[in-house]
Amino acid sequence: MTFPPTAPPRVRIAPSPSGYLHVGTGRTAIFNYLFARHFGGKFLIRIEDTDVERSDPAMVEPILNALKWLGLEWDEDIVYQSSRLETYKKFANKLLESGHGYRCFCSPAQLGAEREAAMASKQAPRYNRRCLKLTKDEIDAKLKAGEQFAIRIQIPPGETSYDDMVAGVITRQNDDIEDLVVARSDSSPTYNLAVVVDDHEMGITHVIRGNDHISNTFKQIQIYRALGFDVPRFGHVPLILRPDKKKVSKRLGDKDVAEYRNEGIIPEAMFNFLCLLGWSPKSDQEIFTITELIKIFDPTHFNSSNAVFDEEKLVSFNKSHLQLKTDEELASLITPLFVEAGLISQASLQSQLPYIKTVAGLLKERVRRLTDFLSLGSYFFKFDCRYDPEAEAKQFSTASAELLSAFAEKLEALPLFDHASIEQALTSLAEERGVKKAAFIHPTRLAVSGISVGPSLYDMIAVLGKPIVVERLKKTVDYIASKA
Ligand code: GLU
């Protein structure tokens, strides 16, 4: 298969269920998904769960949920490596039979000691091919004695080159690739054998993954060749770094994709943001919908330098994507948050929907995270007359209480309770009293919302409605009096 693909490509994401879906794996999944969808191919999932000690079956579902949340719908059935052990065994034996593989009877202790000695003398640890030199009789004797053996692949002399979609042509001397173990003494496959066998059997044409896999690629190419398989096209994308330039990692406290969801990041923003870490649209535009990204995705636009994960930037992408949503879409996104926070009851949900939609539209310009709808808008649903203490110290006084009381009276008398009439009422009252409009605006905002930031005061008051606003103003007047 050449590149660009001449036939619909088949790509995959192959997470190991040793933890939740990490942002790095999420991004690799996005690149593969875009590649498949752009070229009309298939995007597959393989769960790499052969490492019993490191894999946790309970992690599979959260990983799949996070992929779904990102919008990465996959094709075909998921392949689980743990159900394919017999297949790997078959191919490991094939390597043995064809002479590309050989039995290695060395004990882990012996290999460990040799490895340590090599490191102590500052040499790259590499298997010394002791078992390759065994005669047929020696091998037979060991087998007869029931000695355990692993299977290694014999790397031929020469060099190995491949044309990486991201890094271009890369070459390694075969001397630098050791005769790696493909099957352990308990006949379980090593990672490199399982990946090659699966990618072949799944018909994978392009492998896009992190550049920490480049050294595995040379080993895998040797296995492909030894098994007589076509080698897929590889592309190794740069790693994601933290702002301190360390590799993003769970150990350093970096979050998994689901945590961002809980923090009010929406999937479209995460998708867009991760996509631009290591790939470029080659234009100044930064905000794209998933559909747009599928359309413009060009695999020759991967960057070769590492990308930095800047959380502030993710949040600003989130703000932009929230603004692309209709009020209706926002309402359905925030409703569960409000219900969970006890601000809306399940019973009143249906009847409150138009109101929730209006509130969503009103706050849309100000929110950066979905969760901001809660912190900036809970007073639209419930208000316990608690005021931001700093703002209270500034805005509430006997003088402002008097203004609030007058404003409440004026509002109460309004026949029409819309933006224009409320503004008109406030303006004329300020004129009558010979004060600036701000003398009404700030204390009123605090009195009806408890906070000092928010949408246009007139819109906010109109949406809250006359009875609520008047009641809150009067309560504030009483509250100020009680403190005087
Ligand atoms: N399971 C491997 C990982 O999580 C994937 C390797 C691959 O894509 O070939 O890094």
Side-chain angles (χ1 to χ4, degrees), residues 12-16 25 28 46 48 191 195 199 207-209 212-213 220:
R12 48 52 170 195
I13 181 72
S16 314
T25 311
T28 305
R46 179 169 73 232
E48 303 210 318
Y191 156 74
V195 165
D199 281 343
V207 173
I208 301 169
R209 58 188 173 192
D212 48 342
H213 282 292
Q220 291 171 14

Side-chain angles (χ1 to χ4, degrees), residues 267-276 286-288 293 317 321:
E268 296 83 349
M270 190 59 142
F271 191 116
N272 186 173
F273 172 75
L274 287 178
C275 179
L276 298 197
E286 280 197 317
I287 302 302
F288 297 94
L293 287 170
F317 272 47
H321 276 275

Side-chain angles (χ1 to χ4, degrees), residues 358-376:
T358 309
V359 169
L362 213 53
L363 295 174
K364 186 165 157 175
E365 297 296 314
R366 316 199 149 253
V367 291
R368 286 157 46 87
R369 299 172 186 264
L370 263 191
T371 41
D372 291 344
F373 279 101
L374 270 184
S375 51
L376 292 176

Side-chain angles (χ1 to χ4, degrees), residues 179-345:
D179 287 355
L180 62 137
V181 170
V182 288
R184 302 186 188 90
S185 56
D186 62 1
S187 83
S188 66
T190 56
Y191 156 74
N192 283 302
L193 177 70
V195 165
V196 169
V197 167
D198 288 339
D199 281 343
H200 171 73
E201 295 213 326
M202 290 166 76
I204 298 302
T205 56
H206 295 75
V207 173
I208 301 169
R209 58 188 173 192
N211 68 14
D212 48 342
H213 282 292
I214 288 183
S215 59
N216 283 326
T217 301
F218 289 97
K219 299 173 186 172
Q220 291 171 14
I221 289 173
Q222 293 300 334
I223 302 176
Y224 276 105
R225 289 183 182 159
L227 287 170
F229 296 161
D230 283 344
V231 180
R233 191 76 208 265
F234 293 100
H236 289 90
V237 294
L239 298 181
I240 302 180
L241 303 181
R242 297 149 40 99
D244 62 8
K245 300 285 153 69
K246 290 196 176 111
K247 189 182 149 188
V248 165
S249 114
K250 194 102 196 105
R251 271 184 303 115
L252 292 171
D254 291 308
K255 298 175 217 163
D256 64 64
V257 169
E259 278 180 76
Y260 288 99
R261 173 182 55 191
N262 297 339
E263 290 174 7
I265 299 294
I266 58 171
E268 296 83 349
M270 190 59 142
F271 191 116
N272 186 173
F273 172 75
L274 287 178
C275 179
L276 298 197
L277 290 183
W279 180 85
S280 163
K282 301 268 189 250
S283 76
D284 291 339
Q285 187 180 341
E286 280 197 317
I287 302 302
F288 297 94
T289 63
I290 297 178
T291 313
E292 284 170 330
L293 287 170
I294 291 174
K295 200 156 160 224
I296 64 165
F297 187 72
D298 181 340
T300 65
H301 289 181
F302 283 120
N303 303 328
S304 48
S305 54
N306 288 336
V308 176
F309 192 102
D310 174 356
E311 204 164 313
E312 257 311 296
K313 188 154 184 179
L314 167 63
V315 175
S316 92
F317 272 47
N318 203 52
K319 181 177 168 68
S320 304
H321 276 275
L322 284 171
Q323 282 174 14
L324 291 179
K325 299 255 173 228
T326 63
D327 296 354
E328 197 144 13
E329 287 166 335
L330 287 176
S332 64
L333 286 174
I334 62 175
T335 301
L337 300 183
F338 282 90
V339 171
E340 201 183 316
L343 296 170
I344 304 174
S345 70

